[in-house]
Amino acid sequence: MVHPGDPLPPPPARAPDVEDDFTDGLRSDLWIAHYLPHWTTPDRSAARVEHVPGGLALRIEEDQLDWRAEDAPLRVSNLQTGTFSGALGSPRGTHRHRPDGLRVRTATPTRLLWAPSSGRIDLTVSATQDPGCMLAAWLVGTEHLDENAAGEVCLFEIDADAVGSSTRARTGIKAHADPDLTTDVSEVVLPFNATRPHTWTVIWGNGETRIGCDGTVLRHLDQAPGYPLFLMIDLFEIGPPHGTYPKSAVIHHVRGWGGS
């Protein structure tokens, strides 16, 4: 039985299926630099990014539009490893974030740049303390085969005001429209300031999920989505614009292995 505080297993001996430290820029073969673009329009979904020493900064800028007028105030810069939607006006699409009549506003092609059904991801990031912001990383069901294949593994959600000498983060599984999953998200406390680089890990498959940080298990869950998932890494500003811009967090390194 795996318990919080146990060491994570080492990465697979084989080379990662995907690896990116952003040295060569933003790879079009791996990343879509839009946040769920099918539910909105390109001017609202497009990410603001900057190449910085040691990685890629996700930014929220002063002139950035709300992602959707219906969800305002909410601005986001996101990278995701694929897209799926139905036709214009359809209710079908990845990550139906609200139940009240979502319809596709921008039809997007089915692009499975990386969509493993099981595996391991090691993700090194530096969070933000910019007011009103949250850095998050999720695996979300693509839904391109089945609209109920919509579960989410929440690797972390880190609010800016939860970062100090220690850091609070939310982590776990969200069922969304998947009847076979149970939402189980809880807060963990980490003994460091998350604005410095730290490596988060998720290992999932065969009905279990392990989430950890810096080599140590934080959560073990006896459930896991068993269908294709997109990786999403995003910086949100939640609430009316305020403070100094740009606001940013940094993605340093991503490695991923799909299951066999």
Side-chain angles (χ1 to χ4, degrees):
M1 181 66 180
V2 179
H3 300 281
D6 287 351
L8 286 164
R14 63 183 175 89
D17 298 320
V18 297
E19 183 166 17
D20 197 3
D21 63 4
F22 303 95
T23 300
D24 297 324
L26 192 59
R27 289 172 45 188
S28 61
D29 65 327
L30 181 58
W31 301 111
I32 306 291
H34 286 261
Y35 180 64
L36 301 172
H38 46 289
W39 300 134
T40 184
T41 53
D43 56 329
R44 293 179 176 273
S45 63
R48 306 288 182 94
V49 300
E50 180 187 15
H51 294 97
V52 296
L56 185 80
L58 298 173
R59 292 162 58 112
I60 303 294
E61 298 177 339
E62 191 164 11
D63 66 342
Q64 199 161 338
L65 297 174
D66 288 304
W67 173 59
R68 281 171 27 110
E70 297 90 336
D71 292 285
L74 178 69
R75 304 193 288 175
V76 57
S77 287
N78 168 77
L79 302 183
Q80 58 187 65
T81 61
T83 53
F84 160 72
S85 83
L88 188 67
S90 165
R92 290 292 310 278
T94 298
H95 204 53
R96 289 163 287 144
H97 69 288
R98 55 192 294 173
D100 54 344
L102 275 175
R103 291 291 185 271
V104 171
R105 289 188 180 156
T106 302
T108 60
T110 300
R111 299 183 66 192
L112 307 179
L113 303 181
W114 193 56
S117 298
S118 62
R120 175 182 177 130
I121 294 171
D122 292 340
L123 172 60
T124 305
V125 295
S126 294
T128 182
Q129 287 184 297
D130 289 321
C133 287
M134 178 183 80
L135 179 67
W138 306 319
L139 287 160
V140 301
T142 65
E143 301 186 45
H144 76 288
L145 300 174
D146 180 352
E147 63 182 8
N148 290 325
E152 172 194 323
V153 179
C154 173
L155 183 50
F156 59 79
E157 296 173 348
I158 304 173
D159 297 324
D161 62 6
V163 179
S165 57
S166 61
T167 296
R168 302 188 313 277
R170 293 179 297 278
T171 186
I173 285 178
K174 302 178 190 178
H176 296 298
D178 185 339
D180 296 324
L181 294 177
T182 299
T183 294
D184 183 351
V185 176
S186 63
E187 190 173 81
V188 295
V189 179
L190 304 155
F192 53 71
N193 184 310
T195 60
R196 296 187 291 271
H198 293 274
T199 299
W200 293 78
T201 297
V202 59
I203 304 167
W204 80 103
N206 299 316
E208 67 173 332
T209 302
R210 277 176 280 184
I211 299 170
C213 188
D214 292 344
T216 299
V217 173
L218 297 173
R219 300 211 60 201
H220 176 259
L221 301 103
D222 290 321
Q223 55 176 335
Y227 39 75
L229 305 169
F230 292 139
L231 173 62
M232 303 176 68
I233 310 170
D234 27 58
L235 176 68
F236 292 87
E237 182 182 45
I238 302 165
H242 66 287
T244 302
Y245 293 89
K247 302 179 178 183
S248 68
V250 179
I251 310 168
H252 299 284
H253 198 182
V254 182
R255 295 194 299 167
W257 296 261
S260 58

